[in-house]
Amino acid sequence: MTVTVAVTGATGRMGEEVLAAAADRDDVAVAFAVSRSPGAEVEGVAVEDAADLSDLLAEHDPDVLVDFTGPASCVEYAAACADAGVAFVSGTTGLNQGGFDALREAAGEVPVLYASNFSRGIAALRRAVREAVPALDGYDIELTETHHNAKRDAPSGTALTLLDDIDEVRGDSPRVHGREGEAPRSEGEVGVHARRAGDIAGEHEVLLAGNHESLSLTHRAGSRGVFAAGALDAATWLSGRDAGWYDFTEVLE
């Protein structure tokens, strides 16, 4: 069965990747694509004005909308999908609690699947972290993430998800962002470091050290296409499901 998708942020880094990935799949067809900067054509798809999204949803009636934009746009597009009865998949990061509350409100009307990262490797990293942290009780933990120089939010959404995983298995830990001057570690803290350089798609490392040994758990994405492919996997899985809040781990399972 072919799932029809709408793509927001079509002229952005991830929007272009989603359209490129969709062009290579037989199970996905692009209904339309929108951007705040319309007029271009990406992968043979005309990019329309995001301001017309509600009208386009009504006209084309896609199965799912795939969103990688910004926090404010994400919330706006989720509400439009809720009104139109269209499933919503988003990997937009930088959302605050109000943003997540708005997505969960939309999930009362349509199926919503949110993930800070659509990589299968990151899903495996999360499982490894949740096993390693309790196994190495009392070890110091440092988390470092590296992304391209145009990424706005820091730490990355994936880093925040990993930090939440650590808290889940170890209890809430103080988070220290970077170090400067006299900054010795305090017991139980987690050091957090964000680097921005070049065109790096994404790197995440969780370092555990103690007892004269260290363990480094690292994931590197070689291309943003990894995230686009995962988002389309999520879209095909989500299509036709009941309204509610879904997680990418459900797609993988």
Side-chain angles (χ1 to χ4, degrees):
M1 184 181 72
T2 300
V3 172
T4 57
V5 300
V7 180
T8 56
T11 56
R13 292 172 183 261
M14 278 306 304
E16 291 180 349
E17 291 286 355
V18 171
L19 289 171
D24 289 336
R25 296 178 63 139
D26 295 329
D27 60 343
V28 173
V30 177
F32 66 88
V34 299
S35 170
R36 300 284 188 189
S37 303
E41 188 174 281
V42 179
E43 296 292 331
V45 177
V47 178
E48 304 186 65
D49 194 337
D52 298 328
L53 179 63
S54 294
D55 292 338
L56 292 166
L57 289 171
E59 177 183 351
H60 295 280
D61 191 26
D63 296 312
V64 188
L65 184 144
V66 178
D67 168 74
F68 286 92
T69 53
S73 297
C74 175
V75 169
E76 176 186 337
Y77 299 155
C81 284
D83 290 340
V86 174
F88 186 74
V89 169
S90 181
T92 294
T93 57
L95 292 167
N96 58 21
Q97 188 57 52
F100 283 115
D101 289 345
L103 294 194
R104 288 191 177 274
E105 182 177 345
E109 303 296 329
V110 295
V112 172
L113 192 153
Y114 175 84
S116 60
N117 193 299
F118 283 100
S119 158
R120 292 174 181 268
I122 285 292
L125 174 63
R126 291 183 62 192
R127 288 194 294 270
V129 167
R130 289 196 295 265
E131 290 183 9
V133 169
L136 302 177
D137 186 39
Y139 282 39
D140 294 333
I141 302 176
E142 297 275 310
L143 187 152
T144 302
E145 57 94 345
T146 308
H147 285 83
H148 57 86
N149 57 21
K151 185 171 179 60
R152 296 182 181 182
D153 56 308
S156 69
T158 303
L160 293 174
T161 298
L162 290 166
L163 289 167
D164 289 342
D165 289 336
I166 293 168
D167 285 349
E168 182 179 331
V169 296
R170 195 174 78 163
D172 290 347
S173 304
R175 300 174 184 180
V176 176
H177 296 267
R179 299 188 190 279
E180 183 179 7
E182 186 175 341
R185 289 187 64 90
S186 60
E187 184 176 355
E189 75 176 40
V190 177
V192 185
H193 311 276
R195 304 187 299 181
R196 298 290 177 264
D199 59 356
I200 297 171
E203 297 181 3
H204 294 85
E205 178 195 27
V206 178
L207 172 67
L208 298 100
N211 193 34
H212 307 293
E213 63 179 350
S214 64
L215 171 67
S216 178
L217 301 171
T218 303
H219 176 270
R220 295 183 179 88
S223 166
R224 294 179 189 86
V226 171
F227 313 129
L232 291 177
D233 288 342
T236 58
W237 181 89
L238 191 66
S239 177
R241 295 190 181 270
D242 294 335
W245 183 267
Y246 297 91
D247 186 81
F248 188 51
T249 55
E250 297 176 80
V251 179
L252 300 181
E253 293 168 356

